[in-house]
Amino acid sequence: MAQQEISCGYEYIITADLQTCLTEALQCSYSFIVSPIIHPRFRRQSTNAGKNGGFTRSDMVLSPQDWTSRIVAKLSPYINVDSPSATVRQRHEDYLNEELSYCRGLGVPAIMISIHGRESNNLARILQTYYETSHHPSLIWACVPMLCSRTYRECTEDDEEEKAWNEPWYWWSKFHERLDWDKRVGVVLELSADLPSQEVVKRWLGEPVKAIIVPTSIFHNNKKGYPVLSRAHQQLVVSMVEHEAQVIVSGARRSNIEFFVQYLHRVWRRRPNPANDPMLSYARGWEDYLQTPLQPLADNLDTHTYNVFEKDPVKYNQYQKAIAQALIDVQKDRAVKQIAEYSKASCNVASINQCSKNELCDNNTKELIRDDPITVMVLGAGRGPLVRATFNASDITNTKVKVIAVEKNPCAVVVLAAQVREVWRNRDVVVIPGDMRQINLSPKADIIVSELLGSWGDNELSPECLDGASNLLKPGGISIPSSYRSYVAPITSPRLWAAAKIATSGIPQQKDKNLETLWVVYMQNKHDIAETKLVFTFNHPSKAVKDEEGCDKSDYRGLPLTNNRRQATLTWDVQQDNIMHGFGGYFDCTLYGNEMISIVPGTHSPGMISWFPVFIPIKTPMRVQKGDKITATFWRCVDSRRVWYEWVVEVGNRSTPLHNANGRSSEMLL
């Protein structure tokens, strides 16, 4: 859940009196403290660590509530269980197990441990054992510097400085990979006086950063003597906190510790107000929370779902504009035909499209147009938001309409019928219960309007629904929407991948299915590896497939036979070393004319809240390097009763297996 207030902790290098230190921090408005579990200068000489006892303080110095909610235990930073020395390695392994065991007994919420380099196999093994043998294990916070000072000193040219900023990410990513991107493991970044490029920062924002350490040494005093940060550091702190990181103040007391937390709260309050963006306000609490995509064709939506969707003012405003434009165009087209038929035009037929309505015809013809209502069919009317949008568009354009609302959900039909009696009693509207693909109505519609789109455009079977209802539309009629397109971008997100892996069950076979399923999610803790690219496109009314002679094919009902199977192969060039966990999926839609709606990051409709993106995972995350080429192929497969997606990814000579072969893990039922 996105934080509405910043959470700050204070790190004590030495805690002579733990209760006094905790009381001081709480009185200064810190939420927690970071304390060494062992005295920093204490060294255990025995290889049988822990058998003699007395290696640290009693747990009775604090209440159980303080231990379990206000203490982050910091393990001895000198411990290096991956040391090249076998003697040191074994001794430190005993020390680590001893300290982990004590933390298990304390029940602390998080354990901070230092990562010393790319070699962390033994550390990952020990922590995996700790998780396997603990009933209520603590979170592991792996602490790494933002800048590797050792690598920085070895750099001989300015171009090589980037290595010093990348090195700590390698430490962390390899360690996390060895733990299979466990969601209980996060990273703690220690900021430096200098800051890396924005690309390095954005990559860190895709990692599960649990906290950032802000050393007191990077603060400087303002004119009044209070500690402040540079603007660049302020922006970095705000970005990290927006991604759920906490802030830990550490280092020498160069000022009253209360001044630091007061300043950090002030920086947080001065950030751009997220309430200005309706999507951020609406999505609060849903960040990185995976949801199974809806199947409104196979299942009937409940009242709560309808209520959520109907709160989107932007979507229905765009629909209203599109319907209004369609009504004007239908009216103009009718005027053209009537003028040609009755030969009462006041202007040349060839120039009719350039004339206004008043120029098109005389009073008799205008009267005829006004008395002939335009038939608008709302397919999948739900509880009536598109019906209201149609009536609003009719009033704006001064056009008579006859609305036919088609809905298969019995509960929604009850609501529609009630509105016909109570709200729309003076309107020309009729409710038709049933599946749009199975009804046959006359007269046909001039305009059909639907909102059958999913988070990846066609994943709620809009193509199949609208193609099956094509007999309801007059030849040359208008479909709103007229087209929609799906997009993907390769992303890194250990949090989303780990959440998908365990989303529904701990059964190994189910884990594989989870990683072959599309998940609807408001993605926050992710980083785009490359740009967003187009995958599939659908247009309505759809064109029929051709036979060998070039004639349109038709089905048993005489409707155009369409083909909604698709295949697309996309490539991206990698600009930065990273780990690919899957794809972010988006869509945009042309309703009619110039009216559009979009959830594509670069063109997102401001304030629209109806759709979150989709996360498309890959079974095994792939490490990619700068200069690599990512190639992904997506298939949209269709048979007589279902639709499903398949996908495969290649990087160089490495390839994933085919995901969701024959729809074995996820499908949409027709």
Side-chain angles (χ1 to χ4, degrees):
M1 178 175 177
Q3 300 182 36
Q4 299 185 45
E5 192 54 73
I6 190 171
S7 174
C8 296
Y10 188 81
E11 180 179 4
Y12 287 88
I13 306 303
I14 296 178
T15 51
D17 187 330
L18 190 57
Q19 180 65 69
T20 300
C21 293
L22 178 59
T23 301
E24 177 191 35
L26 294 178
Q27 288 176 345
C28 293
S29 300
Y30 288 93
S31 303
F32 62 94
I33 67 170
V34 179
S35 172
I37 204 70
I38 307 294
H39 192 286
R41 290 198 295 271
F42 178 73
R43 295 293 187 273
R44 287 150 289 189
Q45 300 300 324
S46 171
T47 56
N48 297 320
K51 291 190 175 181
N52 297 324
F55 70 98
T56 188
R57 59 172 62 84
S58 166
D59 64 0
M60 295 183 68
V61 298
L62 294 180
S63 69
Q65 182 182 0
D66 288 338
W67 281 117
T68 57
S69 62
R70 295 180 175 133
I71 302 295
V72 172
K74 184 176 182 180
L75 304 190
S76 299
Y78 62 82
I79 291 179
N80 183 6
V81 295
D82 288 281
S83 169
S85 167
T87 302
V88 172
R89 187 167 59 247
Q90 292 176 8
R91 183 180 299 157
H92 284 196
E93 186 174 327
D94 292 335
Y95 296 166
L96 178 60
N97 283 322
E98 183 180 47
E99 295 187 18
L100 286 173
S101 178
Y102 186 61
C103 290
R104 182 193 291 122
L106 295 175
V108 291
I111 301 171
M112 187 183 295
I113 188 167
S114 299
I115 306 295
H116 300 285
R118 298 194 187 192
E119 286 298 323
S120 55
N121 283 324
N122 199 30
L123 176 60
R125 179 188 67 84
I126 294 169
L127 293 177
Q128 192 66 53
T129 301
Y130 165 74
Y131 275 129
E132 293 289 339
T133 57
S134 300
H135 295 295
H136 302 287
S138 305
L139 300 177
I140 297 296
W141 288 5
C143 185
V144 298
M146 182 162 270
L147 174 69
C148 178
S149 55
R150 182 175 65 245
T151 305
Y152 186 78
R153 288 193 299 269
E154 294 172 356
C155 293
T156 57
E157 299 179 9
D158 291 342
D159 294 342
E160 295 181 348
E161 289 185 8
E162 196 71 16
K163 295 179 181 178
W165 296 108
N166 288 328
E167 186 64 19
W169 177 81
Y170 283 111
W171 299 359
W172 154 252
S173 64
K174 288 182 176 294
F175 168 71
H176 204 201
E177 183 177 10
R178 287 161 182 147
L179 285 168
D180 201 22
W181 291 278
D182 196 309
K183 63 184 300 184
R184 297 168 294 185
V185 180
V187 62
V188 175
L189 278 176
E190 182 173 359
L191 304 191
S192 55
D194 295 325
L195 292 178
S197 66
Q198 279 300 306
E199 287 305 311
V200 173
V201 171
K202 288 178 181 178
R203 182 172 60 188
W204 277 118
L205 291 175
E207 302 291 345
V209 180
K210 298 298 183 183
I212 54 172
I213 296 176
V214 185
T216 57
S217 59
I218 69 174
F219 286 86
H220 61 272
N221 291 339
N222 63 10
K223 294 179 180 179
K224 295 183 179 180
Y226 292 102
V228 296
L229 292 170
S230 69
R231 187 166 298 276
H233 282 92
Q234 292 177 39
Q235 293 172 348
L236 178 57
V237 168
V238 168
S239 296
M240 290 293 180
V241 175
E242 286 178 340
H243 284 69
E244 301 187 15
Q246 301 179 84
V247 181
I248 300 171
V249 178
S250 177
R253 296 196 178 201
R254 301 172 56 184
S255 183
N256 188 324
I257 66 170
E258 187 174 8
F259 294 162
F260 295 107
V261 70
Q262 289 175 346
Y263 172 73
L264 290 168
H265 279 283
R266 190 161 59 251
V267 168
W268 178 246
R269 286 192 297 268
R270 289 204 308 254
R271 77 195 189 284
N273 188 1
N276 295 335
D277 187 342
M279 174 57 89
L280 292 180
S281 301
Y282 171 74
R284 184 174 293 121
W286 295 96
E287 297 90 348
D288 300 323
Y289 179 81
L290 302 183
Q291 304 172 71
T292 305
L294 297 173
Q295 292 205 32
L297 188 58
D299 306 319
N300 290 325
L301 302 182
D302 57 31
T303 298
H304 172 73
T305 304
Y306 282 127
N307 191 53
V308 170
F309 291 155
E310 289 168 10
K311 290 180 179 178
D312 191 333
V314 174
K315 175 177 68 173
Y316 294 114
N317 186 53
Q318 290 299 104
Y319 264 98
Q320 182 175 303
K321 292 179 181 177
I323 295 169
Q325 185 59 53
L327 290 174
I328 292 172
D329 288 352
V330 170
Q331 200 172 35
K332 181 182 288 189
D333 186 57
R334 283 187 175 182
V336 171
K337 293 177 181 177
Q338 290 173 1
I339 291 168
E341 181 180 350
Y342 295 103
S343 301
K344 294 182 179 179
S346 60
C347 57
N348 191 316
V349 174
S351 62
I352 285 173
N353 287 330
Q354 283 72 43
C355 299
S356 67
K357 178 183 173 184
N358 290 334
E359 294 172 323
L360 283 172
C361 48
D362 59 19
N363 290 332
N364 292 331
T365 310
K366 284 190 280 186
E367 199 63 39
L368 178 62
I369 296 171
R370 191 173 293 121
D371 288 338
D372 189 7
I374 296 173
T375 302
V376 179
M377 284 190 188
V378 179
L379 306 181
R383 301 195 306 183
L386 288 180
V387 176
R388 289 190 289 273
T390 302
F391 287 141
N392 292 339
S394 169
D395 294 340
I396 291 170
T397 59
N398 193 26
T399 306
K400 273 191 175 183
V401 295
K402 176 181 177 62
V403 176
I404 301 174
V406 179
E407 176 55 52
K408 72 176 182 64
N409 186 343
C411 294
V413 170
V414 171
V415 178
L416 288 170
Q419 293 189 86
V420 170
R421 294 191 308 268
E422 300 166 9
V423 182
W424 303 323
R425 56 182 176 272
N426 297 323
R427 300 282 196 171
D428 188 359
V429 55
V430 61
V431 177
I432 304 295
D435 189 324
M436 69 183 77
R437 300 169 298 170
Q438 298 171 358
I439 61 176
N440 190 13
L441 301 175
S442 184
K444 305 302 182 185
D446 298 289
I447 303 170
I448 59 172
V449 185
S450 64
E451 51 171 334
L452 307 171
L453 300 175
S455 292
W456 207 31
D458 59 275
N459 66 299
E460 291 185 9
L461 305 184
S462 177
E464 285 70 25
C465 290
L466 294 181
D467 289 353
S470 60
N471 67 311
L472 302 176
L473 185 65
K474 289 179 180 178
I478 295 173
S479 172
I480 300 177
S482 61
S483 65
Y484 38 90
R485 297 153 291 276
S486 55
Y487 298 82
V488 294
I491 65 170
T492 177
S493 181
R495 176 177 294 180
L496 292 179
W497 189 87
K501 183 177 67 170
I502 62 171
T504 56
S505 172
I507 303 172
Q509 294 84 350
Q510 186 62 46
K511 290 181 180 179
D512 288 341
K513 289 188 175 183
N514 291 343
L515 295 173
E516 293 186 327
T517 299
L518 273 63
W519 298 96
V520 174
V521 56
Y522 180 68
M523 295 184 286
Q524 177 179 260
N525 193 198
K526 61 96 176 176
H527 170 58
D528 291 338
I529 296 174
E531 70 275 14
T532 304
K533 289 193 174 183
L534 174 67
V535 188
F536 304 137
T537 300
F538 293 88
N539 297 290
H540 296 289
S542 300
K543 294 182 178 180
V545 296
K546 305 289 185 180
D547 59 17
E548 294 80 0
E549 298 177 357
C551 299
D552 290 348
K553 288 186 177 182
S554 59
D555 63 12
Y556 69 95
R557 294 184 296 172
L559 300 179
L561 186 64
T562 58
N563 180 12
N564 290 319
R565 293 181 297 172
R566 298 286 190 275
Q567 177 180 341
T569 299
L570 311 173
T571 60
W572 295 269
D573 293 321
V574 178
Q575 303 298 325
Q576 180 189 43
D577 292 2
N578 229 310
I579 297 176
M580 178 181 170
H581 292 91
F583 299 90
Y586 316 91
F587 82 94
D588 69 13
C589 167
T590 301
L591 295 173
Y592 183 71
N594 296 324
E595 303 302 332
M596 293 188 62
I597 53 176
S598 171
I599 65 166
V600 180
T603 60
H604 196 292
S605 301
M608 190 172 68
I609 62 174
S610 286
W611 294 278
F612 290 159
V614 295
F615 173 55
I616 308 171
I618 57 176
K619 281 189 173 181
T620 303
M622 304 182 75
R623 190 173 288 273
V624 297
Q625 296 181 330
K626 184 177 181 179
D628 283 347
K629 186 180 292 293
I630 298 172
T631 302
T633 302
F634 295 88
W635 291 267
R636 188 181 195 270
C637 307
V638 183
D639 66 17
S640 60
R641 66 177 188 87
R642 64 196 179 117
V643 177
W644 70 95
Y645 300 107
E646 299 177 4
W647 61 98
V648 67
V649 181
E650 298 174 88
V651 178
N653 58 2
R654 296 171 292 148
S655 176
T656 67
L658 178 65
H659 291 74
N660 197 34
N662 197 37
R664 63 191 174 197
S665 300
S666 60
E667 61 187 10
M668 295 86 75
L669 299 177
L670 290 168

